Amino acid sequence: MALGTRVTTTTQDKLMPKVVDTILGSNVFATRMLSKAQKFVGERMKFPVKYVKNTTGTSFSGFDTFSTAATDNRVNLEFVPKFYQITCALPLDELSANATEEQVINLAKVELASTAQDMADDIGGLFYGDGTGNSSKDFLGLEAIVDDATNAATYGTLARATYTTLKSTVTASSGTLTLLKMNTLYNAASSGTQTPTAGYCSEAIYSYYSQLLTPQEQIPKTVSMMKGGSGRGLNSNAGLVGGTGYTSLHYMGFPIFADEKATSGILYFVNEDFLDWYALPVAMTQPIKYRSVIEGNDYSDVEGLGFSWTDWIQPTNSASVVSHIYLGGELISSNPKRHAKLTGITGV
């Protein structure tokens, strides 16, 4: 029921000093990658990889003749940096009206925070893609990295058909998720102590996996948002800072994350020891360093994710200010063989 004018003409409205986000969802994989970035160095990054064995070894006796042939068993993966931007613009008349004693929320700060969070949300989607969007200007994502040449025939400038050790394991689930299929996928991506360290999937697949577990195994654990902080066994919370983290179920000692950005129907097993975001600061910008006044999402603080901005720029032909937020670098795996994915999951 609407209040009468006796109330509306005698009572001041109350604007709460926080903005509640009702649109952005979880962004687990991108946050973990961006929060522990490596440095992008040079005009391109090169990763030497060994793709064939030296086969000159042999047993011998007496004066047997040995091979003197040289072997060439390495090649470089090569990656160039890519860049993403988002624009934040405000008219000066609105900024003037906001800059009064009655200001509850700083308009410039909340718009910049909101825009940075929207950009982080965009990046989360790109990190699951194949990098071909916008004429291949998009960052590489898991669909290109965890692939057997179906989506990405080349990786790091090398043809996977020629260099077959750059192929990841890709297995069709035929609809159902089972522990046997997960075990087979895990074994395919593992070799000795080199095993997957994290799993990423949609909320639906996360729910399917939960149904496969005993009641005791269904107890979720909190895992650090920081890549490399997941740990194993009793150290599953290693690296957890300030209580910030994500809820996960565990499989073979590593966390399985539900991510709203994850590709539908796919369960990824990745070895994060061979998967990093390499950041390249954008020239003539400054790092974003502020605390957000927006609550209700996973982006309460984008400081430390590598975003930078141009400061406010005033155009010559309008009463306004414009700012551009940037992110530069590339998502790179130096060993795609250590990742795997199960596709086409629709149930248990």
Side-chain angles (χ1 to χ4, degrees):
M1 181 180 75
L3 298 173
T5 57
R6 290 186 299 275
V7 176
T8 59
T9 58
T10 59
T11 307
Q12 182 173 308
D13 291 338
K14 172 66 174 178
L15 179 65
M16 300 305 293
K18 287 280 187 179
V19 175
V20 179
D21 173 43
T22 63
I23 181 67
L24 302 182
S26 68
N27 198 0
V28 184
F29 177 62
T31 303
R32 280 171 63 84
M33 290 295 109
L34 293 174
S35 62
K36 200 168 184 181
Q38 304 296 317
K39 186 177 181 180
F40 198 107
V41 181
E43 53 89 22
R44 66 181 58 219
M45 296 283 290
K46 295 183 179 181
F47 296 83
V49 295
K50 180 178 178 179
Y51 68 98
V52 291
K53 288 178 59 177
N54 182 330
T55 58
T56 61
T58 181
S59 56
F60 73 95
S61 66
F63 289 96
D64 287 355
T65 302
F66 305 147
S67 169
T68 59
T71 60
D72 189 357
N73 56 9
R74 291 181 299 278
V75 68
N76 286 332
L77 286 170
E78 298 185 15
F79 303 90
V80 297
K82 296 179 181 176
F83 301 90
Y84 195 88
Q85 78 85 38
I86 196 168
T87 302
C88 182
L90 288 168
L92 292 183
D93 55 355
E94 292 184 6
L95 287 170
S96 300
N98 177 249
T100 67
E101 292 182 1
E102 301 304 316
Q103 180 192 96
V104 177
I105 299 174
N106 185 295
L107 176 59
K109 288 183 178 181
V110 74
E111 281 297 316
L112 190 62
S114 177
T115 301
Q117 292 181 8
D118 291 345
M119 179 169 162
D121 193 68
D122 293 345
I123 300 302
L126 296 182
F127 275 14
Y128 279 100
D130 61 10
T132 61
N134 194 21
S135 301
S136 296
K137 297 174 188 175
D138 285 353
F139 299 126
L140 290 175
L142 289 182
E143 278 301 280
I145 295 170
V146 188
D147 190 57
D148 59 359
T150 300
N151 297 314
T154 62
Y155 182 70
T157 72
L158 301 178
R160 279 176 156 137
T162 302
Y163 302 98
T164 57
T165 58
L166 299 180
K167 292 183 178 182
S168 306
T169 299
V170 179
T171 304
S173 73
S174 301
T176 59
L177 179 68
T178 68
L179 291 177
L180 176 59
K181 292 175 182 177
M182 293 176 67
N183 291 343
T184 302
L185 192 73
Y186 174 87
N187 290 336
S190 301
S191 181
T193 61
Q194 303 300 320
T195 61
T197 61
Y200 294 95
C201 61
S202 67
E203 292 175 316
I205 294 177
Y206 187 83
S207 177
Y208 299 151
Y209 175 55
S210 177
Q211 295 177 48
L212 300 176
L213 304 178
T214 65
Q216 178 62 29
E217 292 171 325
Q218 291 178 22
I219 298 174
K221 300 176 178 64
T222 300
V223 178
S224 172
M225 66 179 286
M226 294 286 288
K227 169 183 174 291
S230 60
R232 291 179 182 270
L234 295 177
N235 296 320
S236 61
N237 290 333
L240 190 63
V241 179
T244 58
Y246 294 113
T247 298
S248 70
L249 294 170
H250 276 60
Y251 171 78
M252 293 292 190
F254 64 84
I256 303 290
F257 295 101
D259 190 345
E260 292 178 61
K261 295 297 181 183
T263 306
S264 176
I266 297 180
L267 170 62
Y268 292 97
F269 283 173
V270 299
N271 187 329
E272 291 182 341
D273 293 338
F274 301 107
L275 184 61
D276 287 284
W277 167 253
Y278 287 84
L280 179 64
V282 177
M284 302 181 69
T285 63
Q286 55 185 303
I288 287 182
K289 293 182 179 180
Y290 60 79
R291 297 284 175 172
S292 176
V293 294
I294 302 174
E295 58 185 23
N297 60 38
D298 288 340
Y299 308 96
S300 59
D301 183 11
V302 298
E303 181 180 356
L305 296 188
F307 294 176
S308 61
W309 69 303
T310 59
D311 210 335
W312 296 108
I313 303 168
Q314 188 168 355
T316 58
N317 61 348
S318 69
S320 63
V321 288
V322 178
S323 178
H324 297 280
I325 301 173
Y326 297 111
L327 181 69
E330 184 61 293
L331 182 66
I332 298 173
S333 174
S334 58
N335 195 353
K337 182 180 179 180
R338 294 305 174 206
H339 314 306
K341 65 183 177 183
L342 192 62
T343 66
I345 301 170
T346 59
V348 292

